[in-house]
Amino acid sequence: MKAIVTIMLKNGVLDPQGKAIGHALNNLGFTQVGEVRMGKIIELELIETDAAQAKTKAEEMARKLLANTVIESFKVEIAA
Amino acid sequence: MKAAILLFPGINRERDMVLAVRQSFRQEPAIVWHKETELPVGTDLVILPGGFSFGDYLRCGAMAAQSPIMRAVKAHAERGGYVLGVCNGFQIITEAGLLPGALLRNAGLRFLSMDTMLKVERADTVFTSKWEKGAEFRAPMAHGDGNYAADDATLDRLEGEGLVAFRYSDINRNGSARSIAGIFSPNLRVLGLMPHPENLVDPLMGGVDGKPLFDSLAAA
């Protein structure tokens, strides 16, 4: 079973990389681009058959290591 | 003052720290590998030096904060022991929860390698007693992630309880909240800061601006 952990800087936390990407897109002529936020995705291969159990475990991993909840929020999705 | 300098893979400022400690403490510090589970008996001060522990993977300091020795460091801090974290060391102790907040990517996205000026916010601590309150001194900095961030309630608490140790006093180049360069724990025994006082402790280095930090600790 695969868990996909998406980690983003919390709203209100400055994301200079997102800003720089937004600037570059505007310079390329994509004038419709407003705010850009950048995060990361971590895929976990889990030895687990129960989806709910897998999600709980992945969330625990996110809280303990994968995300720093002082500045980041995370979301866990279970893929088949 | 018996010091132990922690060594994680990817740390590269430990020798600078040894020089600074040796000169002020007149006692050789122990170097402790991160896989150890105990600090040397009688350790008064644990120092986490700068560098790029574990290649800054995931987040700066995130991996090192999980190293076996950190359990002993937390116990040491809980007993009221002294802890000093500089640069990556500061990032490690915030990741480990010994100090609040986090260090984000510099607001301008550039790695900053230059001197900065720091203001001493209080001189009544074991780390700062050899300075005057309000003194300004030069300190080299070298970091890509030194933008101190915490929520407003935490920042207000730090300021209200006098736990801001140093502020950038010339230019706040990395975008740190309220120009914070270093903070103390509530018992004033844990200090984390981004710039490198240990790199200005001898005239041969171009100055002794950072020496009062180590002389203060030596006198504690």
Side-chain angles (χ1 to χ4, degrees):
Chain A
M1 194 159 279
K2 191 181 264 183
I4 300 163
V5 185
T6 305
I7 298 157
M8 300 294 294
L9 285 170
K10 280 184 180 166
N11 286 331
V13 175
L14 179 72
D15 177 7
Q17 289 189 94
K19 265 209 166 77
I21 293 166
H23 259 284
L25 288 171
N26 288 154
N27 289 343
L28 282 168
F30 296 107
T31 50
Q32 57 278 80
V33 177
E35 199 192 0
V36 178
R37 307 280 289 171
M38 203 190 101
K40 51 194 156 199
I41 290 180
I42 300 175
E43 292 187 356
L44 304 166
E45 201 63 69
L46 300 178
I47 305 167
E48 188 71 66
T49 48
D50 180 64
Q53 190 68 18
K55 189 167 186 212
T56 306
K57 275 287 157 205
E59 283 172 348
E60 192 185 334
M61 294 175 209
R63 268 190 299 274
K64 279 203 169 147
L65 177 69
L66 305 180
N68 178 345
T69 53
V70 173
I71 47 169
E72 295 169 326
S73 59
F74 65 86
K75 182 179 77 185
V76 175
E77 290 162 290
I78 301 297
Chain B
M1 179 72 62
K2 200 172 160 192
I5 297 175
L6 303 191
L7 191 54
F8 301 86
I11 286 295
N12 61 9
R13 299 293 193 119
E14 77 280 6
R15 279 176 292 183
D16 305 27
M17 206 56 92
V18 168
L19 285 176
V21 166
R22 189 183 283 154
Q23 197 179 46
S24 290
F25 293 21
R26 307 202 175 276
Q27 194 177 348
E28 200 60 19
I31 302 277
V32 179
W33 182 236
H34 75 113
K35 286 203 168 157
E36 298 289 336
T37 53
E38 297 292 336
L39 293 164
V41 175
T43 297
D44 301 301
L45 167 69
V46 174
I47 302 179
L48 295 94
F52 303 86
S53 58
F54 296 88
D56 284 346
Y57 289 178
L58 192 62
R59 294 178 308 277
C60 300
M63 300 297 180
Q66 309 300 329
S67 275
I69 192 64
M70 290 308 291
R71 207 177 279 263
V73 175
K74 281 181 199 170
H76 169 81
E78 276 161 21
R79 282 195 302 269
Y82 301 122
V83 179
L84 169 66
V86 172
C87 199
N88 193 207
F90 184 19
Q91 294 164 340
I92 295 168
I93 57 179
T94 56
E95 280 283 345
L98 287 174
L99 289 174
L103 283 312
L104 294 173
R105 180 68 58 92
N106 292 342
L109 287 174
R110 286 171 190 271
F111 188 96
L112 296 169
S113 178
M114 59 191 65
D115 284 356
T116 185
M117 293 301 291
L118 296 182
K119 183 166 164 238
V120 179
E121 291 290 314
R122 56 188 294 177
D124 58 343
T125 78
V126 291
F127 296 97
T128 56
S129 64
K130 297 288 179 183
W131 274 298
E132 299 285 325
K133 177 175 160 50
E136 293 188 48
F137 67 100
R138 186 162 60 97
M141 59 177 183
H143 60 248
D145 299 70
N147 179 353
Y148 183 73
D151 57 41
D152 283 334
T154 303
L155 293 169
D156 288 344
R157 183 177 62 79
L158 287 172
E159 302 213 74
E161 294 176 11
L163 302 180
V164 176
F166 304 108
R167 277 184 226 264
Y168 300 106
S169 61
D170 53 348
I171 306 169
N172 178 6
R173 294 176 177 84
N174 56 26
S176 287
R178 306 189 193 181
S179 297
I180 290 172
I183 54 171
F184 294 116
S185 60
N187 68 359
L188 302 174
R189 285 164 175 254
V190 179
L191 167 66
L193 76 163
M194 284 312 297
H196 292 276
E198 76 277 16
N199 286 147
L200 278 180
V201 295
D202 190 297
L204 283 174
M205 296 173 173
V208 292
D209 293 61
K211 201 164 177 292
L213 174 69
F214 299 93
D215 288 344
S216 299
L217 282 163

